[in-house]
CSV table of all heavy atoms in Angstrom, one decimal:
chain,number,residue,atom,x,y,z
A,1,ARG,N,3.6,10.8,-13.4
A,1,ARG,CA,2.2,10.8,-13.6
A,1,ARG,C,1.5,10.9,-12.2
A,1,ARG,O,2.0,10.2,-11.3
A,1,ARG,CB,1.8,9.4,-14.2
A,1,ARG,CG,0.4,9.4,-14.7
A,1,ARG,CD,0.2,8.1,-15.5
A,1,ARG,NE,-0.4,7.2,-14.5
A,1,ARG,CZ,-1.4,6.3,-14.8
A,1,ARG,NH1,-1.8,6.2,-16.0
A,1,ARG,NH2,-1.8,5.5,-13.9
A,2,ARG,N,0.5,11.6,-12.1
A,2,ARG,CA,-0.2,11.8,-10.8
A,2,ARG,C,-1.2,10.7,-10.6
A,2,ARG,O,-2.1,10.5,-11.5
A,2,ARG,CB,-0.8,13.2,-10.8
A,2,ARG,CG,-1.3,13.6,-9.4
A,2,ARG,CD,-2.0,14.9,-9.5
A,2,ARG,NE,-3.4,14.7,-9.4
A,2,ARG,CZ,-4.3,15.5,-9.8
A,2,ARG,NH1,-4.0,16.6,-10.4
A,2,ARG,NH2,-5.6,15.1,-9.7
A,3,PRO,N,-1.2,10.1,-9.4
A,3,PRO,CA,-2.3,9.0,-9.2
A,3,PRO,C,-3.7,9.6,-9.2
A,3,PRO,O,-3.9,10.7,-8.7
A,3,PRO,CB,-2.0,8.6,-7.8
A,3,PRO,CG,-0.5,9.0,-7.5
A,3,PRO,CD,-0.3,10.2,-8.3
A,4,PHE,N,-4.6,8.9,-9.8
A,4,PHE,CA,-6.0,9.3,-9.9
A,4,PHE,C,-6.1,10.7,-10.6
A,4,PHE,O,-7.0,11.5,-10.3
A,4,PHE,CB,-6.7,9.4,-8.5
A,4,PHE,CG,-6.6,8.0,-7.8
A,4,PHE,CD1,-6.0,8.0,-6.5
A,4,PHE,CD2,-7.2,6.9,-8.3
A,4,PHE,CE1,-5.9,6.8,-5.8
A,4,PHE,CE2,-7.1,5.7,-7.6
A,4,PHE,CZ,-6.5,5.6,-6.4
A,5,ALA,N,-5.3,11.0,-11.6
A,5,ALA,CA,-5.3,12.3,-12.2
A,5,ALA,C,-6.6,12.6,-12.8
A,5,ALA,O,-7.0,13.8,-13.0
A,5,ALA,CB,-4.2,12.3,-13.3
A,6,GLU,N,-7.4,11.6,-13.2
A,6,GLU,CA,-8.7,11.9,-13.9
A,6,GLU,C,-9.8,12.2,-12.9
A,6,GLU,O,-10.9,12.6,-13.4
A,6,GLU,CB,-9.1,10.6,-14.7
A,6,GLU,CG,-9.5,9.4,-13.9
A,6,GLU,CD,-8.4,8.6,-13.3
A,6,GLU,OE1,-7.2,9.0,-13.4
A,6,GLU,OE2,-8.7,7.6,-12.7
A,7,LEU,N,-9.5,12.2,-11.6
A,7,LEU,CA,-10.5,12.4,-10.6
A,7,LEU,C,-10.3,13.8,-9.9
A,7,LEU,O,-9.1,14.1,-9.7
A,7,LEU,CB,-10.6,11.3,-9.6
A,7,LEU,CG,-10.8,9.9,-10.1
A,7,LEU,CD1,-10.7,8.9,-9.0
A,7,LEU,CD2,-12.1,9.8,-10.8
A,8,ASN,N,-11.4,14.4,-9.5
A,8,ASN,CA,-11.2,15.6,-8.6
A,8,ASN,C,-11.1,15.1,-7.2
A,8,ASN,O,-11.3,13.9,-6.8
A,8,ASN,CB,-12.3,16.6,-8.8
A,8,ASN,CG,-13.7,16.1,-8.3
A,8,ASN,OD1,-13.8,15.5,-7.3
A,8,ASN,ND2,-14.7,16.4,-9.2
A,9,SER,N,-10.8,16.0,-6.2
A,9,SER,CA,-10.6,15.6,-4.8
A,9,SER,C,-11.7,14.9,-4.2
A,9,SER,O,-11.6,13.9,-3.5
A,9,SER,CB,-10.3,16.9,-4.0
A,9,SER,OG,-9.1,17.5,-4.5
A,10,PHE,N,-12.9,15.4,-4.5
A,10,PHE,CA,-14.1,14.7,-3.9
A,10,PHE,C,-14.4,13.3,-4.5
A,10,PHE,O,-14.7,12.4,-3.7
A,10,PHE,CB,-15.4,15.6,-4.1
A,10,PHE,CG,-15.3,16.9,-3.4
A,10,PHE,CD1,-15.1,18.1,-4.0
A,10,PHE,CD2,-15.4,16.9,-2.0
A,10,PHE,CE1,-15.1,19.3,-3.3
A,10,PHE,CE2,-15.3,18.1,-1.3
A,10,PHE,CZ,-15.2,19.3,-2.0
A,11,GLN,N,-14.0,13.1,-5.7
A,11,GLN,CA,-14.2,11.8,-6.3
A,11,GLN,C,-13.1,10.8,-5.7
A,11,GLN,O,-13.4,9.7,-5.5
A,11,GLN,CB,-14.0,11.9,-7.8
A,11,GLN,CG,-15.1,12.5,-8.5
A,11,GLN,CD,-14.9,12.8,-10.0
A,11,GLN,OE1,-13.7,13.3,-10.4
A,11,GLN,NE2,-15.8,12.5,-10.8
A,12,ILE,N,-11.9,11.3,-5.5
A,12,ILE,CA,-10.9,10.5,-4.9
A,12,ILE,C,-11.3,10.1,-3.5
A,12,ILE,O,-11.3,8.9,-3.1
A,12,ILE,CB,-9.5,11.2,-4.8
A,12,ILE,CG1,-9.0,11.5,-6.2
A,12,ILE,CG2,-8.5,10.4,-4.0
A,12,ILE,CD1,-7.8,12.4,-6.3
A,13,ILE,N,-11.8,11.0,-2.7
A,13,ILE,CA,-12.2,10.7,-1.3
A,13,ILE,C,-13.3,9.6,-1.4
A,13,ILE,O,-13.3,8.7,-0.6
A,13,ILE,CB,-12.7,12.0,-0.6
A,13,ILE,CG1,-11.5,12.9,-0.3
A,13,ILE,CG2,-13.5,11.6,0.7
A,13,ILE,CD1,-11.9,14.3,0.1
A,14,SER,N,-14.3,9.8,-2.2
A,14,SER,CA,-15.4,8.9,-2.3
A,14,SER,C,-15.0,7.5,-2.8
A,14,SER,O,-15.3,6.5,-2.2
A,14,SER,CB,-16.4,9.4,-3.3
A,14,SER,OG,-17.4,8.5,-3.6
A,15,GLN,N,-14.2,7.5,-3.9
A,15,GLN,CA,-13.8,6.1,-4.4
A,15,GLN,C,-12.8,5.4,-3.5
A,15,GLN,O,-12.9,4.2,-3.4
A,15,GLN,CB,-13.2,6.3,-5.8
A,15,GLN,CG,-14.3,6.7,-6.8
A,15,GLN,CD,-13.9,6.7,-8.2
A,15,GLN,OE1,-13.0,6.1,-8.6
A,15,GLN,NE2,-14.7,7.3,-9.1
A,16,VAL,N,-11.8,6.1,-2.9
A,16,VAL,CA,-10.8,5.5,-2.1
A,16,VAL,C,-11.4,5.2,-0.7
A,16,VAL,O,-11.3,4.1,-0.2
A,16,VAL,CB,-9.5,6.3,-2.0
A,16,VAL,CG1,-8.6,5.7,-0.9
A,16,VAL,CG2,-8.8,6.4,-3.3
A,17,GLY,N,-12.1,6.2,-0.1
A,17,GLY,CA,-12.6,6.1,1.2
A,17,GLY,C,-13.9,5.2,1.3
A,17,GLY,O,-14.0,4.5,2.3
A,18,MET,N,-14.7,5.3,0.4
A,18,MET,CA,-16.0,4.7,0.5
A,18,MET,C,-16.1,3.4,-0.4
A,18,MET,O,-16.8,2.5,0.0
A,18,MET,CB,-17.2,5.6,0.1
A,18,MET,CG,-17.1,7.0,0.8
A,18,MET,SD,-17.3,6.8,2.6
A,18,MET,CE,-19.1,6.9,2.7
A,19,GLU,N,-15.5,3.4,-1.5
A,19,GLU,CA,-15.6,2.3,-2.4
A,19,GLU,C,-14.3,1.4,-2.4
A,19,GLU,O,-14.3,0.3,-3.1
A,19,GLU,CB,-15.8,2.8,-3.8
A,19,GLU,CG,-17.1,3.6,-3.9
A,19,GLU,CD,-17.4,4.2,-5.3
A,19,GLU,OE1,-16.8,3.7,-6.3
A,19,GLU,OE2,-18.1,5.2,-5.3
A,20,GLY,N,-13.3,1.7,-1.7
A,20,GLY,CA,-12.1,0.9,-1.6
A,20,GLY,C,-11.2,0.9,-2.9
A,20,GLY,O,-10.4,0.0,-3.0
A,21,LYS,N,-11.3,1.9,-3.7
A,21,LYS,CA,-10.5,1.9,-4.9
A,21,LYS,C,-9.0,2.1,-4.5
A,21,LYS,O,-8.7,2.8,-3.6
A,21,LYS,CB,-10.9,3.1,-5.8
A,21,LYS,CG,-10.1,3.2,-7.1
A,21,LYS,CD,-10.6,4.2,-8.0
A,21,LYS,CE,-9.7,4.2,-9.3
A,21,LYS,NZ,-10.3,4.8,-10.4
A,22,ARG,N,-8.1,1.4,-5.1
A,22,ARG,CA,-6.7,1.5,-4.9
A,22,ARG,C,-6.0,1.6,-6.2
A,22,ARG,O,-6.5,1.3,-7.2
A,22,ARG,CB,-6.2,0.2,-4.2
A,22,ARG,CG,-6.9,-0.1,-2.8
A,22,ARG,CD,-6.5,1.0,-1.8
A,22,ARG,NE,-7.1,0.8,-0.5
A,22,ARG,CZ,-8.1,1.4,0.1
A,22,ARG,NH1,-8.7,2.4,-0.6
A,22,ARG,NH2,-8.5,1.2,1.3
A,23,LEU,N,-4.7,2.1,-6.1
A,23,LEU,CA,-3.9,2.2,-7.2
A,23,LEU,C,-3.5,0.8,-7.7
A,23,LEU,O,-3.5,-0.2,-6.9
A,23,LEU,CB,-2.6,2.9,-6.9
A,23,LEU,CG,-2.7,4.4,-6.5
A,23,LEU,CD1,-1.3,4.9,-6.0
A,23,LEU,CD2,-3.2,5.2,-7.7
A,24,GLU,N,-3.3,0.6,-9.0
A,24,GLU,CA,-2.9,-0.6,-9.6
A,24,GLU,C,-1.5,-0.9,-9.2
A,24,GLU,O,-0.6,0.0,-9.4
A,24,GLU,CB,-3.2,-0.6,-11.1
A,24,GLU,CG,-2.8,-1.9,-11.8
A,24,GLU,CD,-3.0,-1.9,-13.2
A,24,GLU,OE1,-4.0,-1.3,-13.7
A,24,GLU,OE2,-2.2,-2.5,-14.0
A,25,ILE,N,-1.2,-2.1,-8.8
A,25,ILE,CA,0.2,-2.4,-8.5
A,25,ILE,C,0.8,-2.9,-9.8
A,25,ILE,O,0.3,-3.9,-10.4
A,25,ILE,CB,0.3,-3.4,-7.3
A,25,ILE,CG1,-0.3,-2.9,-6.1
A,25,ILE,CG2,1.7,-3.9,-7.1
A,25,ILE,CD1,-0.4,-3.8,-4.9
A,26,PRO,N,1.9,-2.3,-10.2
A,26,PRO,CA,2.6,-2.8,-11.5
A,26,PRO,C,3.0,-4.2,-11.4
A,26,PRO,O,3.3,-4.8,-10.4
A,26,PRO,CB,3.8,-1.9,-11.6
A,26,PRO,CG,3.6,-0.7,-10.7
A,26,PRO,CD,2.7,-1.2,-9.6
A,27,SER,N,2.8,-4.9,-12.5
A,27,SER,CA,3.1,-6.3,-12.6
A,27,SER,C,4.6,-6.6,-12.3
A,27,SER,O,4.9,-7.8,-11.9
A,27,SER,CB,2.7,-6.9,-14.0
A,27,SER,OG,3.4,-6.2,-15.0
A,28,ASP,N,5.5,-5.7,-12.6
A,28,ASP,CA,6.9,-5.9,-12.3
A,28,ASP,C,7.3,-5.5,-10.9
A,28,ASP,O,8.5,-5.5,-10.5
A,28,ASP,CB,7.7,-5.2,-13.3
A,28,ASP,CG,7.6,-3.7,-13.3
A,28,ASP,OD1,6.6,-3.2,-12.7
A,28,ASP,OD2,8.4,-3.0,-13.9
A,29,CYS,N,6.4,-5.2,-10.0
A,29,CYS,CA,6.6,-4.8,-8.6
A,29,CYS,C,7.0,-6.1,-7.9
A,29,CYS,O,6.4,-7.1,-8.0
A,29,CYS,CB,5.4,-4.2,-8.0
A,29,CYS,SG,5.6,-3.7,-6.3
A,30,ALA,N,8.1,-6.0,-7.1
A,30,ALA,CA,8.6,-7.1,-6.3
A,30,ALA,C,7.5,-7.5,-5.3
A,30,ALA,O,6.8,-6.7,-4.8
A,30,ALA,CB,9.8,-6.7,-5.5
A,31,PRO,N,7.3,-8.8,-5.2
A,31,PRO,CA,6.3,-9.3,-4.3
A,31,PRO,C,6.3,-8.7,-2.9
A,31,PRO,O,5.2,-8.5,-2.3
A,31,PRO,CB,6.5,-10.9,-4.2
A,31,PRO,CG,7.2,-11.2,-5.5
A,31,PRO,CD,8.1,-9.9,-5.8
A,32,ILE,N,7.5,-8.5,-2.3
A,32,ILE,CA,7.5,-7.9,-1.0
A,32,ILE,C,6.8,-6.6,-0.9
A,32,ILE,O,6.1,-6.3,0.1
A,32,ILE,CB,9.0,-7.8,-0.5
A,32,ILE,CG1,9.0,-7.5,1.0
A,32,ILE,CG2,9.8,-6.9,-1.3
A,32,ILE,CD1,10.3,-7.6,1.7
A,33,TRP,N,6.9,-5.8,-1.9
A,33,TRP,CA,6.3,-4.4,-2.0
A,33,TRP,C,4.9,-4.5,-2.3
A,33,TRP,O,4.1,-3.8,-1.7
A,33,TRP,CB,7.0,-3.5,-2.9
A,33,TRP,CG,8.5,-3.4,-2.6
A,33,TRP,CD1,9.5,-3.7,-3.5
A,33,TRP,CD2,9.1,-3.0,-1.4
A,33,TRP,NE1,10.7,-3.5,-2.8
A,33,TRP,CE2,10.5,-3.1,-1.6
A,33,TRP,CE3,8.6,-2.5,-0.2
A,33,TRP,CZ2,11.4,-2.7,-0.5
A,33,TRP,CZ3,9.5,-2.2,0.8
A,33,TRP,CH2,10.9,-2.3,0.7
A,34,SER,N,4.5,-5.4,-3.2
A,34,SER,CA,3.0,-5.5,-3.5
A,34,SER,C,2.3,-6.1,-2.3
A,34,SER,O,1.1,-5.6,-2.0
A,34,SER,CB,2.8,-6.3,-4.7
A,34,SER,OG,3.3,-7.6,-4.6
A,35,GLU,N,2.9,-7.0,-1.6
A,35,GLU,CA,2.2,-7.6,-0.4
A,35,GLU,C,2.1,-6.5,0.7
A,35,GLU,O,1.1,-6.4,1.3
A,35,GLU,CB,3.0,-8.8,0.1
A,35,GLU,CG,2.5,-9.3,1.4
A,35,GLU,CD,3.5,-10.3,2.1
A,35,GLU,OE1,4.1,-11.1,1.3
A,35,GLU,OE2,3.6,-10.3,3.3
A,36,LEU,N,3.2,-5.8,0.9
A,36,LEU,CA,3.1,-4.7,1.9
A,36,LEU,C,2.1,-3.7,1.6
A,36,LEU,O,1.3,-3.3,2.5
A,36,LEU,CB,4.5,-4.1,2.0
A,36,LEU,CG,4.7,-3.1,3.2
A,36,LEU,CD1,4.4,-3.8,4.5
A,36,LEU,CD2,6.1,-2.5,3.2
A,37,ALA,N,2.0,-3.2,0.3
A,37,ALA,CA,1.0,-2.2,0.0
A,37,ALA,C,-0.4,-2.8,0.2
A,37,ALA,O,-1.3,-2.1,0.8
A,37,ALA,CB,1.2,-1.8,-1.5
A,38,THR,N,-0.6,-4.0,-0.3
A,38,THR,CA,-2.0,-4.6,-0.1
A,38,THR,C,-2.3,-4.7,1.4
A,38,THR,O,-3.5,-4.4,1.7
A,38,THR,CB,-1.9,-6.0,-0.8
A,38,THR,OG1,-1.6,-5.8,-2.2
A,38,THR,CG2,-3.3,-6.6,-0.7
A,39,ARG,N,-1.4,-5.1,2.2
A,39,ARG,CA,-1.7,-5.2,3.6
A,39,ARG,C,-2.0,-3.8,4.3
A,39,ARG,O,-2.9,-3.7,5.1
A,39,ARG,CB,-0.6,-5.9,4.4
A,39,ARG,CG,-0.5,-7.4,4.1
A,39,ARG,CD,0.4,-8.1,5.1
A,39,ARG,NE,0.0,-7.9,6.4
A,39,ARG,CZ,0.8,-7.9,7.4
A,39,ARG,NH1,2.1,-7.9,7.3
A,39,ARG,NH2,0.4,-7.7,8.7
A,40,CYS,N,-1.3,-2.8,3.8
A,40,CYS,CA,-1.5,-1.5,4.3
A,40,CYS,C,-2.9,-0.9,3.9
A,40,CYS,O,-3.5,0.0,4.5
A,40,CYS,CB,-0.4,-0.5,3.9
A,40,CYS,SG,1.2,-0.8,4.8
A,41,TRP,N,-3.4,-1.4,2.8
A,41,TRP,CA,-4.7,-0.9,2.2
A,41,TRP,C,-5.9,-1.7,2.8
A,41,TRP,O,-7.0,-1.4,2.4
A,41,TRP,CB,-4.7,-1.1,0.7
A,41,TRP,CG,-3.8,-0.1,0.0
A,41,TRP,CD1,-3.2,1.0,0.5
A,41,TRP,CD2,-3.2,-0.3,-1.3
A,41,TRP,NE1,-2.4,1.6,-0.5
A,41,TRP,CE2,-2.4,0.8,-1.6
A,41,TRP,CE3,-3.4,-1.3,-2.3
A,41,TRP,CZ2,-1.8,0.9,-2.8
A,41,TRP,CZ3,-2.8,-1.1,-3.5
A,41,TRP,CH2,-2.0,0.0,-3.8
A,42,GLU,N,-5.7,-2.6,3.7
A,42,GLU,CA,-6.8,-3.4,4.2
A,42,GLU,C,-7.9,-2.5,4.8
A,42,GLU,O,-7.6,-1.5,5.5
A,42,GLU,CB,-6.3,-4.3,5.4
A,42,GLU,CG,-5.6,-5.6,4.9
A,42,GLU,CD,-6.5,-6.6,4.3
A,42,GLU,OE1,-7.8,-6.5,4.3
A,42,GLU,OE2,-5.9,-7.5,3.7
A,43,ALA,N,-9.1,-2.8,4.5
A,43,ALA,CA,-10.2,-2.0,5.0
A,43,ALA,C,-10.3,-2.0,6.5
A,43,ALA,O,-10.7,-1.0,7.2
A,43,ALA,CB,-11.5,-2.4,4.4
A,44,GLN,N,-10.1,-3.2,7.1
A,44,GLN,CA,-10.2,-3.3,8.6
A,44,GLN,C,-8.8,-3.0,9.2
A,44,GLN,O,-7.8,-3.6,8.9
A,44,GLN,CB,-10.5,-4.8,8.9
A,44,GLN,CG,-11.8,-5.3,8.3
A,44,GLN,CD,-13.0,-4.5,8.9
A,44,GLN,OE1,-13.0,-4.2,10.1
A,44,GLN,NE2,-13.9,-4.1,8.0
A,45,PRO,N,-8.8,-2.0,10.0
A,45,PRO,CA,-7.5,-1.5,10.6
A,45,PRO,C,-6.7,-2.6,11.4
A,45,PRO,O,-5.5,-2.6,11.3
A,45,PRO,CB,-8.0,-0.4,11.6
A,45,PRO,CG,-9.3,0.1,11.1
A,45,PRO,CD,-9.9,-1.1,10.5
A,46,HIS,N,-7.4,-3.5,12.0
A,46,HIS,CA,-6.7,-4.6,12.8
A,46,HIS,C,-5.9,-5.6,11.8
A,46,HIS,O,-5.1,-6.3,12.3
A,46,HIS,CB,-7.6,-5.3,13.7
A,46,HIS,CG,-8.6,-6.2,13.0
A,46,HIS,ND1,-9.8,-5.7,12.5
A,46,HIS,CD2,-8.6,-7.5,12.7
A,46,HIS,CE1,-10.5,-6.7,11.9
A,46,HIS,NE2,-9.8,-7.8,12.0
A,47,LEU,N,-6.3,-5.5,10.5
A,47,LEU,CA,-5.6,-6.4,9.6
A,47,LEU,C,-4.3,-5.7,9.0
A,47,LEU,O,-3.5,-6.3,8.3
A,47,LEU,CB,-6.5,-6.8,8.4
A,47,LEU,CG,-7.7,-7.7,8.9
A,47,LEU,CD1,-8.6,-7.9,7.7
A,47,LEU,CD2,-7.2,-9.0,9.5
A,48,ARG,N,-4.2,-4.4,9.2
A,48,ARG,CA,-3.1,-3.6,8.6
A,48,ARG,C,-1.9,-3.8,9.6
A,48,ARG,O,-2.0,-4.0,10.8
A,48,ARG,CB,-3.4,-2.1,8.6
A,48,ARG,CG,-4.5,-1.8,7.7
A,48,ARG,CD,-4.8,-0.3,7.7
A,48,ARG,NE,-6.2,-0.1,7.3
A,48,ARG,CZ,-7.0,0.9,7.8
A,48,ARG,NH1,-6.5,1.7,8.7
A,48,ARG,NH2,-8.2,1.0,7.4
A,49,PRO,N,-0.6,-3.8,9.0
A,49,PRO,CA,0.5,-3.9,9.9
A,49,PRO,C,0.7,-2.6,10.7
A,49,PRO,O,0.3,-1.5,10.3
A,49,PRO,CB,1.7,-4.0,8.9
A,49,PRO,CG,1.1,-3.4,7.6
A,49,PRO,CD,-0.3,-3.6,7.6
A,50,ASN,N,1.2,-2.8,11.9
A,50,ASN,CA,1.5,-1.7,12.8
A,50,ASN,C,2.9,-1.2,12.4
A,50,ASN,O,3.6,-1.8,11.6
A,50,ASN,CB,1.3,-2.0,14.3
A,50,ASN,CG,2.2,-3.1,14.7
A,50,ASN,OD1,3.4,-3.2,14.3
A,50,ASN,ND2,1.7,-4.0,15.6
A,51,PHE,N,3.3,-0.1,13.1
A,51,PHE,CA,4.6,0.4,12.8
A,51,PHE,C,5.8,-0.5,13.1
A,51,PHE,O,6.7,-0.5,12.3
A,51,PHE,CB,4.8,1.8,13.5
A,51,PHE,CG,4.1,2.9,12.8
A,51,PHE,CD1,3.0,3.5,13.4
A,51,PHE,CD2,4.5,3.4,11.5
A,51,PHE,CE1,2.2,4.5,12.8
A,51,PHE,CE2,3.7,4.4,10.9
A,51,PHE,CZ,2.6,4.9,11.5
A,52,SER,N,5.7,-1.3,14.1
A,52,SER,CA,6.7,-2.2,14.4
A,52,SER,C,6.8,-3.3,13.3
A,52,SER,O,7.9,-3.7,12.9
A,52,SER,CB,6.5,-2.9,15.8
A,52,SER,OG,6.5,-2.0,16.8
A,53,GLN,N,5.7,-3.7,12.9
A,53,GLN,CA,5.7,-4.7,11.8
A,53,GLN,C,6.2,-4.1,10.5
A,53,GLN,O,6.9,-4.8,9.7
A,53,GLN,CB,4.3,-5.3,11.6
A,53,GLN,CG,3.7,-6.1,12.7
A,53,GLN,CD,2.2,-6.3,12.7
A,53,GLN,OE1,1.5,-5.5,12.2
A,53,GLN,NE2,1.8,-7.5,13.1
A,54,LEU,N,5.8,-2.9,10.2
A,54,LEU,CA,6.4,-2.2,9.0
A,54,LEU,C,7.9,-2.1,9.1
A,54,LEU,O,8.6,-2.4,8.1
A,54,LEU,CB,5.7,-0.8,8.8
A,54,LEU,CG,4.3,-0.7,8.3
A,54,LEU,CD1,3.8,0.7,8.4
A,54,LEU,CD2,4.2,-1.3,6.9
A,55,GLU,N,8.4,-1.7,10.2
A,55,GLU,CA,9.8,-1.5,10.4
A,55,GLU,C,10.5,-2.8,10.2
A,55,GLU,O,11.5,-2.9,9.5
A,55,GLU,CB,10.1,-1.0,11.8
A,55,GLU,CG,11.5,-0.8,12.1
A,55,GLU,CD,11.9,-0.4,13.5
A,55,GLU,OE1,11.1,-0.7,14.4
A,55,GLU,OE2,12.9,0.3,13.7
A,56,GLU,N,10.0,-3.9,10.8
A,56,GLU,CA,10.6,-5.2,10.6
A,56,GLU,C,10.6,-5.6,9.1
A,56,GLU,O,11.6,-6.2,8.6
A,56,GLU,CB,9.9,-6.3,11.4
A,56,GLU,CG,10.6,-7.6,11.3
A,56,GLU,CD,12.1,-7.6,11.6
A,56,GLU,OE1,12.6,-7.0,12.5
A,56,GLU,OE2,12.8,-8.3,10.8
A,57,LYS,N,9.5,-5.4,8.4
A,57,LYS,CA,9.4,-5.8,7.0
A,57,LYS,C,10.4,-5.0,6.2
A,57,LYS,O,11.0,-5.5,5.3
A,57,LYS,CB,7.9,-5.5,6.5
A,57,LYS,CG,7.6,-6.1,5.2
A,57,LYS,CD,7.5,-7.6,5.4
A,57,LYS,CE,6.7,-8.2,4.3
A,57,LYS,NZ,6.6,-9.6,4.3
A,58,LEU,N,10.5,-3.7,6.5
A,58,LEU,CA,11.5,-2.9,5.7
A,58,LEU,C,12.9,-3.3,6.0
A,58,LEU,O,13.7,-3.3,5.1
A,58,LEU,CB,11.2,-1.4,6.1
A,58,LEU,CG,9.9,-0.8,5.6
A,58,LEU,CD1,9.7,0.6,6.1
A,58,LEU,CD2,9.8,-0.8,4.0
A,59,LYS,N,13.2,-3.6,7.3
A,59,LYS,CA,14.6,-4.1,7.6
A,59,LYS,C,14.9,-5.4,6.9
A,59,LYS,O,16.0,-5.6,6.4
A,59,LYS,CB,14.7,-4.2,9.1
A,59,LYS,CG,14.9,-2.9,9.8
A,59,LYS,CD,15.0,-3.1,11.3
A,59,LYS,CE,15.2,-1.7,12.0
A,59,LYS,NZ,15.4,-1.9,13.4
A,60,SER,N,13.9,-6.3,6.9
A,60,SER,CA,14.0,-7.6,6.2
A,60,SER,C,14.3,-7.3,4.7
A,60,SER,O,15.1,-8.0,4.1
A,60,SER,CB,12.7,-8.4,6.4
A,60,SER,OG,12.8,-9.6,5.7
A,61,ALA,N,13.5,-6.4,4.1
A,61,ALA,CA,13.8,-6.1,2.7
A,61,ALA,C,15.1,-5.6,2.4
A,61,ALA,O,15.8,-5.9,1.4
A,61,ALA,CB,12.7,-5.1,2.2
A,62,GLU,N,15.6,-4.8,3.3
A,62,GLU,CA,17.0,-4.2,3.2
A,62,GLU,C,18.0,-5.3,3.3
A,62,GLU,O,19.0,-5.3,2.5
A,62,GLU,CB,17.2,-3.2,4.3
A,62,GLU,CG,18.5,-2.5,4.2
A,62,GLU,CD,18.7,-1.4,5.3
A,62,GLU,OE1,18.3,-1.6,6.5
A,62,GLU,OE2,19.3,-0.4,5.0
A,63,ARG,N,17.8,-6.2,4.2
A,63,ARG,CA,18.8,-7.4,4.3
A,63,ARG,C,18.8,-8.2,3.1
A,63,ARG,O,19.8,-8.6,2.6
A,63,ARG,CB,18.4,-8.2,5.6
A,63,ARG,CG,18.8,-7.6,6.9
A,63,ARG,CD,18.6,-8.6,8.1
A,63,ARG,NE,17.3,-9.0,8.3
A,63,ARG,CZ,16.3,-8.4,9.0
A,63,ARG,NH1,16.6,-7.3,9.7
A,63,ARG,NH2,15.2,-9.0,9.2
A,64,GLU,N,17.6,-8.4,2.5
A,64,GLU,CA,17.5,-9.2,1.3
A,64,GLU,C,18.2,-8.5,0.1
A,64,GLU,O,18.9,-9.1,-0.7
A,64,GLU,CB,16.0,-9.4,0.9
A,64,GLU,CG,15.3,-10.5,1.8
A,64,GLU,CD,15.8,-11.9,1.5
A,64,GLU,OE1,16.1,-12.2,0.3
A,64,GLU,OE2,16.0,-12.6,2.5
A,65,ALA,N,18.1,-7.2,0.1
A,65,ALA,CA,18.7,-6.4,-1.0
A,65,ALA,C,20.2,-6.4,-0.9
A,65,ALA,O,20.9,-6.3,-1.9
A,65,ALA,CB,18.2,-5.0,-1.0
A,66,ASP,N,20.7,-6.5,0.4
A,66,ASP,CA,22.2,-6.6,0.6
A,66,ASP,C,22.8,-7.9,0.2
A,66,ASP,O,24.0,-8.0,0.2
A,66,ASP,CB,22.5,-6.2,2.1
A,66,ASP,CG,22.2,-4.8,2.4
A,66,ASP,OD1,22.2,-3.9,1.5
A,66,ASP,OD2,22.1,-4.4,3.6
A,67,ARG,N,22.0,-8.9,0.0
A,67,ARG,CA,22.6,-10.2,-0.3
A,67,ARG,C,23.1,-10.3,-1.7
A,67,ARG,O,22.7,-9.8,-2.6
A,67,ARG,CB,21.5,-11.4,-0.1
A,67,ARG,CG,21.3,-11.6,1.4
A,67,ARG,CD,20.4,-12.7,1.5
A,67,ARG,NE,19.9,-12.8,2.9
A,67,ARG,CZ,19.1,-13.6,3.4
A,67,ARG,NH1,18.6,-14.6,2.6
A,67,ARG,NH2,18.8,-13.7,4.7
């Protein structure tokens, strides 16, 4: 299924860029992934994780999966 399939390109730009619309996070999504997605979607750039933080979060998730 394509995200925002019911919208054309201009509607997507408007709703995501101007109105803050985001994809629905599935209820069965692991908390680590839903938290990461939500943080990456922050409207204020300084609240989003930087690449070092993303890398650490992904490595942490990998370590957890290996247990």
Side-chain angles (χ1 to χ4, degrees):
R1 194 177 95 139
R2 194 181 102 203
F4 304 120
E6 72 282 2
L7 304 176
N8 67 42
S9 297
F10 293 109
Q11 290 171 315
I12 293 170
I13 291 168
S14 174
Q15 290 190 20
V16 172
M18 308 299 271
E19 298 173 27
K21 182 174 180 161
R22 300 294 184 252
L23 295 172
E24 181 178 326
I25 297 174
S27 60
D28 62 344
C29 181
I32 190 169
W33 303 121
S34 60
E35 176 192 319
L36 187 58
T38 302
R39 288 193 59 214
C40 289
W41 292 339
E42 284 287 350
Q44 300 297 319
H46 70 277
L47 297 175
R48 297 179 205 143
N50 61 40
F51 283 108
S52 296
Q53 292 168 324
L54 285 173
E55 179 183 29
E56 182 52 42
K57 194 72 159 174
L58 293 171
K59 285 180 178 178
S60 175
E62 182 179 41
R63 287 190 297 272
E64 286 291 320
D66 288 343
R67 288 185 190 181

